Amino acid sequence: MEIVICPDAAAAGTLGAEAIVTLVKGKPDAVLGLATGSSPLAIYDELAARHDAGQVSFAQARGFTLDEYVGLPAEHPETYHNVIRRDFVNRVDFGADAVHGPDGLATDIPAFCASYEAAIAAAGGVDLQILGIGTDGHIGFNEPGSSLASRTRIKTLTRQTRVDNARFFDGDIDQVPTHCITQGLGTIMAARHVVLVASGTAKAEAVHQLAEGSVSALWPATILQHHPHVTVLLDEAAASRLQLGSYYRETYAAKPAWQGL
Ligand code: F6R
């Protein structure tokens, strides 16, 4: 796991975007794993700017989002289907139907989840998965207690996550759905490269656990310690609880340029 401590969230976003631009230039039909929420916004802003500047095209790329609320009407602005289109997909040149996400209105949820796993596999698997992290250590919506081998399924959101996400629902926790469909930890672990981005002090404990805690279902993101290629992009605040912060800084400063991310 590589930890990169950046001066601010914008710098972290630029690094994440560079990894995606490099991937898509070398493999135009790359499969991207897309996260929603605040954390990846700097990445998406940078990618949109580079697309506008003619530096990158997503015309052949494919995407799979991590998760979706269960039961929100299709036209609700906070469905992750709508959020990812607003924040990223509609700002670049993805083909029609190139970006898929869990169906929060599926009538047969287990059958839908199996079909979502099959669609990711049929696309050849995810080349680069963008992740945020919850204050409770979730990735996707794999809340504490999730099976470390889990696949796409329905989950109950913790109260903490619903409090955190109430900012997208007029500050009203009662408007935040109680359930979601999320890719599992096993699904995320199958991605070939994972880029996790976090900023702000609220994420500092989860980031410390992710990188330096014991692997445990109590902090689901710790499963990433078993992944061979994880890049963690942090601002100073999110890095503030890291025990080995100085080492990560020295390592990145001395990194040979040819290694890339
Ligand atoms: C979103 C997702 C979540 C978020 C996490 C952090 O698709 O899967 O794991 O990444 O809740 O959310 P933000 O970035 O809004 O702090």
Side-chain angles (χ1 to χ4, degrees):
M1 181 178 293
E2 177 176 32
I3 314 282
V4 185
I5 303 170
C6 302
D8 53 35
T14 300
L15 276 185
E18 270 163 16
I20 293 164
V21 169
T22 303
L23 169 68
V24 173
K25 281 187 172 164
K27 184 178 182 187
D29 63 346
V31 178
L32 301 176
L34 301 172
T36 45
S38 308
S39 305
L41 290 179
I43 295 181
Y44 297 149
D45 287 348
E46 181 68 19
L47 288 175
R50 293 201 185 199
H51 171 261
D52 290 347
Q55 294 169 9
V56 65
S57 170
F58 297 89
Q60 295 178 56
R62 283 88 36 90
F64 289 89
T65 56
L66 279 170
D67 38 24
E68 181 59 274
Y69 294 114
V70 166
L72 281 186
E75 66 280 7
H76 194 291
E78 294 307 325
T79 68
Y80 283 169
H81 175 95
N82 293 330
V83 169
I84 198 66
R85 277 159 184 77
R86 196 163 65 230
D87 288 347
F88 181 44
V89 173
N90 291 350
R91 300 169 71 192
V92 296
D93 59 345
F94 278 104
D97 299 328
V99 175
H100 306 275
D103 178 1
L105 295 173
T107 45
D108 184 341
I109 288 178
F112 172 78
C113 293
S115 73
Y116 197 61
E117 288 279 337
I120 295 171
V126 170
D127 290 299
L128 187 152
Q129 175 66 56
I130 303 168
L131 292 179
I133 185 169
T135 58
D136 64 2
H138 69 229
I139 51 174
F141 273 142
N142 293 281
E143 298 285 30
S146 290
S147 158
L148 299 180
S150 49
R151 309 302 301 202
T152 302
R153 69 215 183 289
I154 190 168
K155 285 293 289 182
T156 306
L157 295 171
T158 60
R159 185 166 182 84
Q160 180 63 52
T161 296
R162 294 177 66 231
V163 167
D164 289 346
N165 287 6
R167 69 190 191 282
F168 298 116
F169 293 85
D170 307 323
D172 177 8
I173 186 181
D174 292 333
Q175 290 184 40
V176 184
T178 53
H179 290 79
C180 63
I181 294 173
T182 181
Q183 288 188 28
L185 293 170
T187 319
I188 293 169
M189 287 291 285
R192 289 182 271 283
H193 182 193
V194 173
V195 176
L196 185 148
V197 59
S199 58
T201 43
K203 301 292 176 71
E205 176 64 17
V207 165
H208 162 61
Q209 294 291 339
L210 154 73
E212 300 171 334
S214 305
V215 175
S216 159
L218 201 54
W219 290 95
T222 57
I223 189 61
L224 295 175
Q225 293 177 26
H226 283 290
H227 192 287
H229 191 187
V230 177
T231 307
V232 179
L233 304 174
L234 305 172
D235 71 353
E236 293 282 351
S240 59
R241 292 209 43 153
L242 288 171
Q243 229 169 292
L244 301 181
S246 324
Y247 176 63
Y248 306 137
R249 287 178 211 276
E250 284 164 25
T251 305
Y252 187 67
K255 186 176 181 181
W258 56 261
Q259 274 190 314
L261 279 185

